[in-house]
Amino acid sequence: MKRLGILISGRGSNFEAIADSVAAGRIDAAIGGGDLEPPGGARAGRGARARAERRVYSLEGSGPRGLRPPAGRGTETELGGSGLPGRIHALLSAGFIREFPLRILNIHPSLLPAFPGLDAQHQALEHGVKVGGCTVHFGDECLDSGPILVQTAVPVLNDDTVEALSARILKEEHRIYTEAINLVLAGNFRIEGRRVVFT
């Protein structure tokens, strides 16, 4: 069975959604060989760490196997030797990303290339856009700029707050991350320039 390494930052809700999809058979892969905090990246909150440990225990039946504390370069070496076909990441160093071309996925709460970086929903509201959304893309060495796998649009309402818009986008993130992982696991795509072409 194929294995996913998952790096968690923030609340870990996308991890939860992926774990749900694995448990329900919507993703034909196992979770293992991951890290709770990416080197050089955003830290996972205590709640995210606890949920991840519980979920991997429930999926693998023997404790938080594959979830290791951050260890800088050692983490990269350990994951690199694990044979994992795919990775999900938060914010990683360019050197880390170069080691895994077209094997790292990232999700971002905007319709890239619009509003890369932090506070994408706030940026969207400040700019007065009518449509926001989220994007799953391959990680590359630049910020939120890799080839795009899946995007979905979310309407921006007249009375939206950052919190309200973020909540609606997050629901779509949970849905399209599973879709994107399955597309990559199937392997029926090629890269033409910056475009992902499905075959």
Side-chain angles (χ1 to χ4, degrees):
M1 176 175 283
K2 294 180 179 178
R3 295 171 67 79
L4 300 173
I6 300 182
L7 303 181
I8 302 168
S9 66
R11 293 170 297 174
S13 68
N14 276 307
F15 167 81
E16 291 267 36
I18 292 165
D20 286 344
S21 287
V22 168
R26 293 188 297 270
I27 295 175
D28 186 19
I31 294 175
D35 192 350
L36 284 169
E37 295 175 9
R43 289 186 174 274
R46 254 185 249 141
R49 179 184 297 274
R51 285 194 301 274
E53 289 175 352
R54 284 196 302 271
R55 290 307 302 267
V56 172
Y57 181 87
S58 68
L59 288 167
E60 296 190 352
S62 60
R65 243 180 2 209
L67 293 178
R68 305 175 179 94
R73 179 66 192 174
T75 300
E76 298 178 24
T77 301
E78 189 170 88
L79 289 173
S82 68
L84 296 171
R87 317 276 301 295
I88 297 95
H89 82 105
L91 301 172
L92 304 176
S93 69
F96 191 95
I97 290 170
R98 277 195 296 269
E99 294 194 24
F100 302 94
L102 300 182
R103 292 172 64 195
I104 298 174
L105 301 183
N106 187 45
I107 193 158
H108 184 73
S110 79
L111 294 174
L112 292 173
F115 313 126
L118 297 175
D119 301 319
Q121 302 93 328
H122 178 73
Q123 293 182 62
L125 291 176
E126 275 199 333
H127 280 79
V129 299
K130 302 303 181 188
V131 178
C134 48
T135 303
V136 180
H137 64 93
F138 284 110
D140 67 9
E141 296 177 35
C142 299
L143 179 64
D144 296 325
S145 70
I148 291 169
L149 277 156
V150 182
Q151 290 183 302
T152 193
V154 174
V156 177
L157 307 178
N158 290 334
D159 59 350
D160 256 337
T161 62
V162 170
E163 294 74 20
L165 178 59
S166 298
R168 292 202 313 282
I169 290 174
L170 188 61
K171 287 182 181 178
E172 294 302 310
E173 287 184 38
H174 294 167
R175 181 181 64 80
I176 70 168
Y177 223 156
T178 291
E179 180 182 345
I181 291 168
N182 281 327
L183 289 169
V184 171
L185 291 176
N188 299 321
F189 66 90
R190 65 181 185 274
I191 305 295
E192 293 183 356
R194 292 189 46 79
R195 295 178 63 226
V196 179
V197 179
F198 296 103
T199 57

